Amino acid sequence: MSSGNAYHGEVGDHFARIADTSPYNAFTDRPAVLDLVGEVAGARVLDVGCGAGHYAEALVERGAVVTAVDGSATLLRHARERVGDRAELRPHDLETPLDFAADGAFDVAVCALVHHHLAAREQLLAELLRVLRPGGRLVLSTTHPTAEWLHHGGSYYDESWVEHRLPDPSLSIRYRRLPLETLVNEWLAAGFTLERLVEPRPLPELRDVDAARYEKLCAEPAFLAARLRRPPS
């Protein structure tokens, strides 16, 4: 993600620590995103805002050739520990163009739980359209607008930046509330075709790990995930 809103220092360490087993990451968002990605054996995949390398690891294990970028040196360190030299890992501020990548360089792009942290969302979408080959797909996930409304209150249509406190009250992350119409219209305006939209439910296995969180995530959406397609010509 952007260097300004990336998970630096203790926040990055916290995220890397919980993402292995979190009900939200391991049991809800990640399975949904990887399902939308589908078959990637031999595909050139760009992992945009790769975090601690969980998606990059899964994509490599599926046979993809992965380039993974993030604005946090902390998270890239964790990603290197996870994937080693099996993927190309590079620092990049996602508020700036993807100038390291040629037009049509990738078959697939994955942008998991990054979009809402960015100010230059339209620029990133335009860049992702550029670096994907014609017919290539972008799989994107973000916080669910309804979840943000339930948590923060006020107007559902509020698009303000918010600070979300982590369990350690000294740590927080910053992101923007975005209603559904803003999200979808930005994707379409960038030139993508919306192929599939998902409100991820948790894996059934979560019931045995955390029954209360499982019931909550089955009743209240936490994330929104989409598979977008660059038109073939």
Side-chain angles (χ1 to χ4, degrees), residues 153-169:
S155 170
Y156 168 84
Y157 301 103
D158 183 5
E159 297 193 13
S160 62
W161 289 91
V162 294
E163 291 282 336
H164 178 75
R165 293 291 172 186
L166 300 177
D168 179 342

Side-chain angles (χ1 to χ4, degrees), residues 3-46:
S3 59
N5 289 330
Y7 296 174
H8 299 291
E10 290 183 62
V11 174
D13 289 332
H14 169 81
F15 175 78
R17 185 169 59 251
I18 69 168
D20 279 341
T21 58
S22 163
Y24 295 95
N25 300 104
F27 288 89
T28 309
D29 180 71
R30 201 150 62 235
V33 167
L34 292 171
D35 179 64
L36 287 173
V37 168
E39 176 62 48
V40 290
R44 302 161 299 166
V45 180
L46 177 63

Side-chain angles (χ1 to χ4, degrees), residues 6-229:
Y7 296 174
H8 299 291
E10 290 183 62
V11 174
D13 289 332
H14 169 81
F15 175 78
R17 185 169 59 251
I18 69 168
D20 279 341
T21 58
S22 163
Y24 295 95
N25 300 104
F27 288 89
T28 309
D29 180 71
R30 201 150 62 235
V33 167
L34 292 171
D35 179 64
L36 287 173
V37 168
E39 176 62 48
V40 290
R44 302 161 299 166
V45 180
L46 177 63
D47 184 0
V48 184
C50 67
H54 292 83
Y55 291 92
E57 179 181 44
L59 293 164
V60 166
E61 290 176 350
R62 293 182 175 198
V65 179
V66 176
T67 299
V69 301
D70 202 280
S72 165
T74 303
L75 286 175
L76 283 174
R77 173 173 52 81
H78 286 287
R80 289 190 183 95
E81 292 172 358
R82 181 172 300 279
V83 302
D85 60 0
R86 294 180 293 163
E88 179 187 357
L89 302 174
R90 57 187 307 147
H92 187 80
D93 183 348
L94 294 178
E95 300 286 8
T96 65
L98 304 176
D99 51 9
F100 60 87
D103 295 359
F106 297 98
D107 304 299
V108 180
V110 176
C111 187
L113 301 183
V114 174
H115 196 64
H116 50 294
H117 290 288
L118 301 175
R121 297 187 311 280
E122 292 92 342
Q123 175 182 265
L124 178 61
L125 288 167
E127 282 290 275
L128 289 170
L129 190 79
R130 177 185 68 81
V131 303
L132 283 169
R133 63 166 175 79
R137 60 195 186 274
L138 165 63
V139 176
L140 180 152
S141 68
T142 188
T143 56
H144 198 291
T146 299
E148 295 308 315
W149 184 34
L150 290 173
H151 182 76
H152 294 286
S155 170
Y156 168 84
Y157 301 103
D158 183 5
E159 297 193 13
S160 62
W161 289 91
V162 294
E163 291 282 336
H164 178 75
R165 293 291 172 186
L166 300 177
D168 179 342
S170 68
L171 304 178
S172 66
I173 56 175
R174 184 172 183 265
Y175 60 89
R176 192 167 183 173
R177 294 176 61 175
L178 296 166
L180 182 62
E181 67 178 14
T182 296
L183 288 166
V184 175
N185 286 332
E186 286 181 357
W187 304 341
L188 300 179
F192 286 100
T193 298
L194 176 57
E195 194 168 86
R196 189 175 170 202
L197 189 68
V198 176
E199 295 170 303
R201 278 72 154 177
L203 294 178
E205 291 85 346
L206 179 60
R207 185 190 291 111
D208 298 327
V209 177
D210 188 333
R213 198 63 55 86
Y214 174 79
E215 295 298 332
K216 178 179 175 63
L217 286 167
C218 283
E220 299 178 9
F223 304 120
L224 192 69
R227 184 168 64 223
L228 309 169
R229 184 80 61 171

